[in-house]
């Protein structure tokens, strides 16, 4: 979308601190990243999605984490820049908080964040260069992959022996879907990436902490068990004409417990409203 970058290009193209690369056509995120990294020279590379805005101190905070030569990548905390637009954007903002401050924060305790998210992730250039061929040429069902770039690159970093970290006070605001259909399409694409790249990560697990094995199994088996319980409940209703109260109560109870714990831990009552995310998740 060249029209969208004309103003930025005109403002900064004459500034010697900036270098713009205009590719002849839209070739996808991976090839754009490869083109930029190939022309870079710094020790650290920061990836920021076009719909994201970083706080003034994000670069310094991520760079500070990268002082450890064992760290290959680090990500910041995501928030929804349009959180106040709709009920859905409010839920997604809470979802991002949970993904960052529960999942990523827990994984970071063991130096193995399993997905450094695209809105803002910093990489060690020397590590990136050695992985670009594998990253750019990934195939899915015999065709070049056009989704799951962030998770795949993170897994490659871990396979190369680098740590991946999470920096909670490096705040990044990103635009999230405000309508259900595009949100579900996004979630489906991310779910495909999670299931696909889990197989790539399996050889890593014996060398990582047992918690990470439990976490990977939970991320992949949990949704399948949830789907199975829903299908079983529907089958019960169709065959017996009775409501499967046990299944409903179990899902409601687990949702209430989780939301209550998060509200208590974060000291934010808004997370009690995250129960509304359950039917969307189902």
């Amino acid at each position: 979308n060249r029209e969208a970058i004309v103003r930025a290009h005109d403002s900064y193209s004459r500034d010697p601190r900036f270098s713009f690369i205009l590719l002849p056509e839209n070739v996808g995120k991976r090839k754009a990243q490869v083109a930029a990294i190939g022309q870079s020279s710094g020790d650290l590379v920061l990836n920021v999605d076009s719909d994201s805005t970083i706080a003034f101190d994000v670069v310094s905070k991520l760079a500070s984490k990268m002082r450890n030569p064992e760290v290959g990548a680090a990500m910041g905390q995501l928030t929804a820049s349009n959180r106040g637009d709709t009920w859905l954007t409010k839920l997604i903002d809470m979802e991002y908080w949970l993904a960052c401050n529960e999942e990523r924060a827990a994984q970071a305790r063991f130096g193995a964040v399993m997905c450094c998210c695209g809105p803002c992730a910093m990489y060690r250039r020397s590590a990136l260069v050695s992985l670009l061929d594998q990253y750019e040429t990934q195939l899915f069902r015999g065709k070049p992959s056009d989704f799951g770039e962030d998770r795949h690159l993170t897994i490659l970093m871990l396979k190369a022996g680098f740590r991946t970290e999470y920096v909670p006070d490096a705040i990044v605001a990103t635009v999230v879907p405000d309508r259900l259909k595009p949100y579900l399409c996004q979630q489906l694409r991310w779910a495909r990436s999670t299931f696909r790249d889990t197989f790539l990560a399996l050889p890593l697990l014996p060398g990582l902490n047992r918690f990470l094995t439990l976490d990977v199994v939970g991320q992949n088996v949990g949704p399948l068990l949830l789907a199975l319980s829903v299908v079983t409940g529907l089958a019960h209703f169709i065959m017996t004409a009775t409501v499967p109260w046990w299944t409903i109560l179990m899902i409601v109870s687990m949702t209430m417990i989780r939301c209550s714990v998060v509200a208590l831990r974060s000291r934010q009552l808004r997370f009690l409203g995250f129960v509304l995310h359950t039917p969307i998740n189902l």
Side-chain angles (χ1 to χ4, degrees):
N1 187 353
R2 291 180 183 270
E3 292 78 11
I5 66 166
V6 166
R7 183 177 301 175
H9 182 271
D10 291 346
S11 298
Y12 295 101
S13 60
R14 296 183 184 88
D15 190 323
R17 298 174 301 167
F18 295 89
S19 176
F20 280 80
I21 302 171
L22 297 178
L23 300 175
E25 59 182 348
N26 184 355
V27 292
K29 181 176 178 176
R30 293 186 195 227
K31 291 187 181 298
Q33 285 177 311
V34 170
I37 294 166
Q39 295 190 35
S40 67
S41 59
D43 294 333
L44 304 176
V45 175
L46 182 70
N47 182 91
V48 181
D49 280 353
S50 59
D51 58 358
S52 303
T53 306
I54 63 174
F56 74 95
D57 55 357
V58 163
V59 174
S60 59
K61 288 180 176 178
L62 293 179
S64 178
K65 180 67 72 172
M66 301 291 286
R67 288 176 180 171
N68 181 352
E70 295 181 357
V71 177
M75 65 166 284
Q77 179 176 180
L78 307 184
T79 63
S81 59
N82 56 333
R83 180 176 77 180
D85 286 0
T86 67
W87 62 272
L88 181 59
T89 58
K90 290 182 175 68
L91 288 179
I92 295 174
D93 184 69
M94 288 186 271
E95 180 184 5
Y96 281 12
W97 192 97
L98 289 164
C100 290
N101 294 295
E102 283 192 340
E103 180 185 313
R104 266 58 167 198
Q107 294 169 350
R109 289 180 65 89
F110 310 103
V113 173
M114 304 303 284
C115 179
C116 290
C117 299
C120 184
M122 182 174 281
Y123 299 96
R124 189 171 304 280
R125 184 178 179 279
S126 58
L128 269 181
V129 171
S130 65
L131 302 172
L132 285 184
D133 284 343
Q134 298 179 66
Y135 176 59
E136 185 180 9
T137 58
Q138 184 188 20
L139 300 178
F140 180 62
R141 299 177 65 185
K143 298 179 180 180
S145 176
D146 59 355
F147 66 92
E149 296 90 357
D150 312 326
R151 184 174 294 273
H152 182 60
L153 187 54
T154 306
I155 297 298
L156 290 178
M157 279 286 179
L158 290 170
K159 288 185 69 176
F162 290 95
R163 294 172 61 91
T164 53
E165 297 283 358
Y166 167 61
V167 183
D169 55 350
I171 308 299
V172 183
T174 187
V175 178
V176 301
D178 57 2
R179 292 180 295 112
L180 200 54
K181 184 177 179 179
Y183 173 68
L184 293 177
C185 289
Q186 177 199 68
Q187 293 299 301
L188 180 60
R189 188 173 68 252
W190 288 359
R192 286 192 185 121
S193 172
T194 299
F195 284 113
R196 181 193 65 186
D197 286 302
T198 291
F199 291 101
L200 185 66
L202 289 179
L204 289 169
L205 296 180
L208 299 176
N209 188 280
R210 292 180 180 180
F211 167 81
L212 292 166
T213 300
L214 177 64
D215 184 53
V216 169
V217 171
Q219 278 194 48
N220 289 271
V221 177
L224 297 179
L225 292 176
L226 182 59
L228 179 62
S229 68
V230 172
V231 172
T232 303
L234 288 173
H236 176 87
F237 176 73
I238 292 170
M239 296 176 65
T240 66
T242 58
V243 178
W245 289 112
W246 176 249
T247 301
I248 295 173
L249 289 174
M250 183 62 70
I251 293 174
V252 170
S253 298
M254 292 175 67
T255 301
M256 290 300 299
I257 291 171
R258 184 189 185 199
C259 293
S260 298
V261 169
V262 175
L264 181 63
R265 179 170 174 263
S266 66
R267 298 179 182 178
Q268 298 182 51
L269 290 177
R270 66 179 179 129
F271 283 99
L272 295 176
F274 195 65
V275 295
L276 299 175
H277 189 269
T278 297
I280 299 175
N281 195 29
L282 294 176

